[in-house]
Structure formats: structure tokens, C-alpha cells
Amino acid sequence: MKRTEVLRDLLHNGRGYDTPQLESLAAELGLPVADALVVAGHPVPGHLLPPDRDKDIMRAFVYRVTYCNHPQLAALREFLLAMQDEGAAPEPRPARDPADPDPFPAVLHGLMRNRGFGVREFPFVGLSMSTIRGMLGGAWHRLSQLQAMAGPLGWSKEDLATLAGEPLQPLDYGPMFCHHVGAVFLAAVPRTTEQLVRAAREADRQSAREDQGAWQPVSQGIYDCPTSQISSS
């Protein structure tokens, strides 16, 4: 089957898949296992979820990551991966409601929560918090909005559009952030509050970010992605 067909089948028939099948599909698609579980409508076990963390620290970490260029993002990802797992696994997250006629908002919310993102912690991508809340509430999901969300999640616009049932069309502009930013946030999934503090300092060291004297929502973005291929995290 084509990738789009696999994703649609996972979305609509995923409850019939067992865990080994989902792990195999996740590897085939280059997705985290936790994401495959969310798309398929399965519970997500605690060991695949972020530990309980301070949301303000998470927000500060995310902000600092957005100032890193591609070599710095790669170095920061390695810095995070080299850390020891120290956090206690949270409780498993229940599966989404199988009776929901539009599963995409719950799936999008699950993908965000797999990385420890609430609406406030999600990096600024040119969308207002009310717009993101609207997407999570099922009010809308235009292609341009999916493109904006995709990079920090480590997903492609095309894959999110498949899940949302949104037709693909040319866009006049690219996203602020690519999947390399999302790869850093995936590497940070097991990290504790204290580890995120250290990683935020490392991000500042790498980027040599200048303090502007007040909190700014984001850097100017990372448009020059050297690849268009999403790699397995």
C-alpha cells in the first residue's frame, strides 16, 4: 500500500492492529511508536510519554531551541540523547474515543502531548493560540495550518493532511520550522525538568542567542532545510 493508504487505514482501522504490528508500521513509516499508537486509537504506555515537567521550563526550552540552526540542532539532539533517563514514567494515556466522527483533532492533540506540548508550550509557528485551540477543538484545519504545525512535531505536511482529510495544493510559502526542530523535541521526550534546564543552556551556548531584554515568541524561523526527507527519530 502507498503511505497515504497505510496512514488512512491506521487511522480508521488501527484498533484491529496489535502492538507488534504497530511497532513494525511505526518503523516502516519513520514515526515514533507513541505516534503510531495515537493514530491507531490505542492507549499510549507511560514509558513512551514525557515525565511530569514544569511547563514554564518546557516553554523556555522550546523557545531557545528555535534559535538554533541546523548544525546546532543536530548537536543539541545528540546532547539530549546522551543524557541518562532519570524521570519516572507517568500513567498511561487512554485511547481516544472510538465513537468520535472526526478523529483528527484528538490525534493532533495526542501528537502534541506525546512531546509534552500544551498550547502554551508549542513553539510560535505563525499561528495564534486560539487558532491551535480551534484545530484541537475540530473547528478548522487548513493546509497552511497543518504545514505550520508539522515541523515541530517531526511530521510532514503531507502526512498530517492525510490524517486530516485535507487535500494537498501548492502553497506560496514554506513553514517556519522543519522536521529537524521536531527531532530535537522528540529527543527531549524522556527528559526531566532539570535536564531541560541544562539542555536550554546548551541551546543558548550553541546558538549564541542575544538576550533581547524581554521574552520574544520565537526566532525568525529556519527556512533553509537541507533535506526534504523526514528521517526516523
Side-chain angles (χ1 to χ4, degrees):
M1 288 194 292
K2 295 180 180 178
R3 185 181 182 89
T4 55
E5 294 171 339
V6 172
L7 284 168
R8 288 192 189 110
D9 189 63
L10 199 59
L11 181 67
H12 297 295
N13 304 304
R15 285 180 177 81
Y17 289 66
D18 61 24
T19 299
Q21 287 175 307
L22 290 172
E23 290 173 344
S24 177
L25 269 179
E28 178 184 329
L29 295 169
L31 298 176
V33 173
D35 287 4
L37 291 167
V38 164
V39 174
H42 285 240
V44 182
H47 73 275
L48 296 179
L49 296 172
D52 292 333
R53 302 184 290 205
D54 184 282
K55 293 186 181 300
D56 288 338
I57 297 298
M58 178 67 180
R59 190 181 188 200
F61 165 72
V62 167
Y63 164 60
R64 283 159 170 78
V65 170
T66 64
Y67 275 84
C68 294
N69 62 26
H70 281 90
Q72 293 160 2
L73 288 169
L76 185 58
R77 179 176 180 270
E78 292 303 316
F79 181 85
L80 285 157
L81 291 174
M83 289 180 167
Q84 301 260 335
D85 290 351
E86 297 177 355
E91 291 296 313
R93 189 187 313 131
R96 56 182 166 83
D97 184 356
D100 193 337
D102 180 10
F104 179 70
V107 168
L108 180 61
H109 197 193
L111 298 180
M112 290 173 61
R113 292 174 69 193
N114 281 354
R115 291 143 180 81
F117 290 144
V119 174
R120 288 185 72 252
E121 293 75 45
F122 200 80
F124 178 75
V125 291
L127 304 176
S128 68
M129 286 194 286
S130 62
T131 295
I132 297 175
R133 288 191 181 99
M135 296 175 74
L136 298 177
W140 52 68
H141 46 63
R142 291 195 298 271
L143 184 62
S144 58
Q145 295 163 341
L146 298 178
Q147 175 177 260
M149 299 286 287
L153 294 174
W155 276 62
S156 70
K157 169 190 66 181
E158 292 78 11
D159 284 354
L160 281 187
T162 294
L163 298 182
E166 191 76 37
L168 291 173
Q169 58 186 344
L171 294 175
D172 295 332
Y173 46 84
M176 290 185 71
F177 301 113
C178 70
H179 67 96
H180 292 102
V181 176
V184 173
F185 297 142
L186 281 171
V189 166
R191 301 300 161 237
T192 64
T193 295
E194 292 75 16
Q195 289 175 316
L196 290 184
V197 169
R198 286 167 24 214
R201 289 178 186 145
E202 177 64 14
D204 276 354
R205 189 189 72 80
Q206 290 279 349
S207 69
R209 178 183 66 89
E210 293 185 12
D211 192 342
Q212 301 180 42
W215 188 86
Q216 299 293 320
V218 79
S219 67
Q220 295 301 308
I222 302 172
Y223 300 96
D224 57 340
C225 181
T227 71
S228 59
Q229 177 82 26
I230 288 192
S231 60
S232 174
S233 58

